[in-house]
Structures are given as C-alpha cells and as structure tokens.
Amino acid sequence: MGENLKEEGYSMEQDQEVGGKNYSRCSSAGSTHTPNSSAHNSDDDDDSGDARHSAANSNSTLNLSYKERRRSAHTQAEQKRRDAIKKGYDSLQELVPRCQPNDSSGYKLSKALILQKSIEYIGYLNQQKLKQEDEGAALQKEVTALRIIQSGYETMLQHQQANPGPKEARLTDEAKFQVFQAIMEEMFETFQHIPMDNFKQLTSGIIPWLEEHCKPHILRNILSRTLQQMAQEAQEKQQLQQAMEQEPGESFS
DNA sequence: GTTCACCACTAGGAGGCATC
DNA sequence: GATGCCTCCTAGTGGTGAAC
C-alpha cells in the first residue's frame, strides 16, 4: 500500500482521494482524517480564523501560507519516511526465513513479530557462525598435523633415495615388515593414551603425542633393538642349523 | 532561519474474538 | 447475526534537535 502511494506520486490531495478509493485498511484513515479534523489543528484553526477575520493583515496571510506550505511538505516528508520504514519491514520479512508465510494466502506478520523473529534469527546466525569457526579451527589443526606427517615421510623418502646403502646391507621385505611391526606396536602403546572421546580431542592430542613419542632418537632406539633382536634370532637359528648338521655324523662315529 | 529527520500523539478503519 | 472490545495499522500533525 505504501509503495502504491509512492508510485502514484503521493500528495495530500491525492492521499485523501486515493486512500478512500483504493486501500481497504489504511485508506479510510487517510480519507477521513483531513487536516482540519485533527486535534492538533485547533490552534491552526484559530490561526486561519484570525487570518480570515483580518484579511487586510498581510503578515497574518503570509504566516498562514507559510504554515500551510510547511504542513504540506511535512506531511509528504512523513509519508516518505513511513514508506521507507514499511519497505524495511517488508525486506526483513522477505529476508528472514522465520518471517516468511508458509502458505500462499498472503499471510503477513505484524511489525512487532517481524522485529522479534528477526532478532531471534540473528541470534541463531551468530551461534552458527561461532560453531563453524570452531569446526574450521579444528580442521586447520588437523591439516597442520597431516602436513607435518607428510613432510616427515617426504624427508625419509628423499634420504632413502639419496642413500640406498650397499645392496648386501639392504633389508629383506620380511625384515622391513618386522621393523615396521615393532615400531608400530611400541607407538601404539603410547598412542592409545590419547583422549579419543570425540574428534576434537583426538586431533588436538595428536600433535603433542607426535612431539613427545615420535622423536628421532626414540625411533632409532626401537629400530636398533629390533635389528639386534633379529640378528640374535638369526644367529641362534644358524647355530641350531649347524648343530643339526653335525649331529648325524657324531652319531655314526 | 530553514530544512530534515525523528518521535509522540491522536484519530480512525479493519479484522479477530468473545459474548449475548 | 449483532455488538463490544482489543489489536494492529495508517495517516496527519506538532514539537524538537541537528545539519546546512
């Protein structure tokens, strides 16, 4: 309705006619509420009456015309202001999902409800924003941890490619697996103490664990122990084999 | 001093709801 | 159905402070 008023080039005269003819709800107020019907106009009525009674008084006439001009301009300005406010409410109702009608009946919320629901929606959006920021921070930590792990593996790979070692000194696949198994079993002993009640606890616990239990000297010790153990087992196996080879000869002698 | 924007007040219509 | 009451909305107007 307000938009219509604006589109039609609203003026006081038009208001009183257009309002009465076209607008079912707000119209009648505009149509019947002529300037002289307002309680505020009692003083003006007196002024205009004085002006009529003393038509020769040019000052009074000028004063009256000024008042009328001012009143007219003021009325238009107020109408413009109310249109802007109404547009604001309409925009709010379009933008805020909870303010939108859920059927095609043209149902419209009151201005108070539009404000109230808009405030609720802004609060909801603020909560969503905080939640997403938390999730983003957790994911960022995870990315950092994975990049560190990736960097470690790349360094190891480069080192291995640069220094493959003598062919005879290289480990067999079975030996590599035993080393890997030994390292992982020992790592798991400490890794299982990381709190894992939720994903956030897990991701935030990985970095301290890496710094505490994945130090080079620790890995080196594990590797050394494992290789020593493997060498000892190989030696014992070799001795056993030699003994078995010697036993048949001794029995015959 | 004038203009502009805001606010408060008043008047009145429209619609919903309860009561008779 | 008529009526009264309440709520919501719109419009006109005067007052007022800030900006020009």
Side-chain angles (χ1 to χ4, degrees):
Chain A
M1 287 180 284
E3 290 83 348
N4 291 340
L5 290 176
K6 196 172 182 182
E7 284 168 9
E8 293 181 17
Y10 182 84
S11 69
M12 277 197 64
E13 292 76 16
Q14 284 173 331
D15 169 44
Q16 302 186 10
E17 181 161 343
V18 169
K21 285 179 178 173
N22 295 339
Y23 306 114
S24 60
R25 180 164 182 162
C26 65
S27 61
S28 304
S31 63
T32 58
H33 191 68
T34 58
N36 288 336
S37 68
S38 170
H40 293 289
N41 291 325
S42 57
D43 293 340
D44 286 350
D45 290 340
D46 294 342
D47 290 343
S48 61
D50 290 343
R52 280 190 296 270
H53 288 310
S54 56
N57 189 335
S58 61
N59 286 336
S60 296
T61 306
L62 283 175
N63 192 32
L64 178 66
S65 65
Y66 165 72
K67 276 192 173 182
E68 282 182 341
R69 273 191 291 115
R70 184 187 180 281
R71 187 191 296 159
S72 175
H74 183 42
T75 300
Q76 289 187 34
E78 186 65 16
Q79 180 65 42
K80 190 178 170 186
R81 179 179 156 273
R82 289 200 182 104
D83 281 348
I85 293 172
K86 188 175 180 303
K87 273 189 177 179
Y89 278 105
D90 289 344
S91 298
L92 262 185
Q93 192 171 13
E94 285 177 9
L95 285 173
V96 177
R98 298 177 190 184
C99 288
Q100 288 171 355
N102 51 9
D103 56 18
S104 59
S105 64
Y107 163 74
K108 211 172 175 224
L109 293 176
S110 70
K111 290 182 176 180
L113 270 177
I114 290 174
L115 286 181
Q116 188 181 338
K117 289 186 177 295
S118 298
I119 290 168
E120 288 173 4
Y121 186 59
I122 289 170
Y124 165 76
L125 289 180
N126 277 336
Q127 285 181 351
Q128 291 292 109
K129 180 170 172 274
L130 291 176
K131 192 176 170 186
Q132 287 183 351
E133 283 176 354
D134 285 348
E135 289 176 0
L139 288 172
Q140 191 61 44
K141 283 183 181 176
E142 189 183 359
V143 167
T144 304
L146 290 172
R147 281 189 177 145
I148 290 172
I149 294 171
Q150 180 191 14
S151 173
Y153 279 119
E154 285 175 353
T155 305
M156 288 168 58
L157 181 62
Q158 288 172 2
H159 182 74
Q160 190 180 5
Q161 286 175 344
N163 306 292
K167 195 174 182 179
E168 60 274 14
R170 291 179 198 169
L171 295 172
T172 63
D173 287 344
E174 188 183 358
K176 285 179 183 175
F177 177 74
Q178 286 183 14
V179 170
F180 176 75
Q181 189 178 22
I183 291 175
M184 293 311 292
E185 282 176 354
E186 189 142 344
M187 291 288 101
F188 185 73
E189 285 296 319
T190 54
F191 186 80
Q192 65 180 344
H193 296 305
I194 297 176
M196 299 183 192
D197 292 339
N198 53 53
F199 185 70
K200 190 178 178 182
Q201 278 189 354
L202 176 63
T203 53
S204 60
I206 282 179
I207 295 294
W209 175 81
L210 283 170
E211 292 179 353
E212 181 72 21
H213 299 285
C214 295
K215 293 177 179 173
H217 73 275
I218 294 177
L219 297 174
R220 198 182 307 123
N221 287 340
I222 298 173
L223 182 62
S224 177
R225 275 203 315 270
T226 308
L227 290 175
Q228 281 180 4
Q229 190 178 349
M230 287 169 60
Q232 190 176 350
E233 286 174 358
Q235 192 176 2
E236 288 174 1
K237 191 177 176 183
Q238 192 176 3
Q239 286 175 354
L240 184 64
Q241 199 169 1
Q242 285 176 355
M244 287 178 69
E245 287 174 357
Q246 288 175 2
E247 271 183 10
E250 286 174 359
S251 63
F252 286 117
S253 62

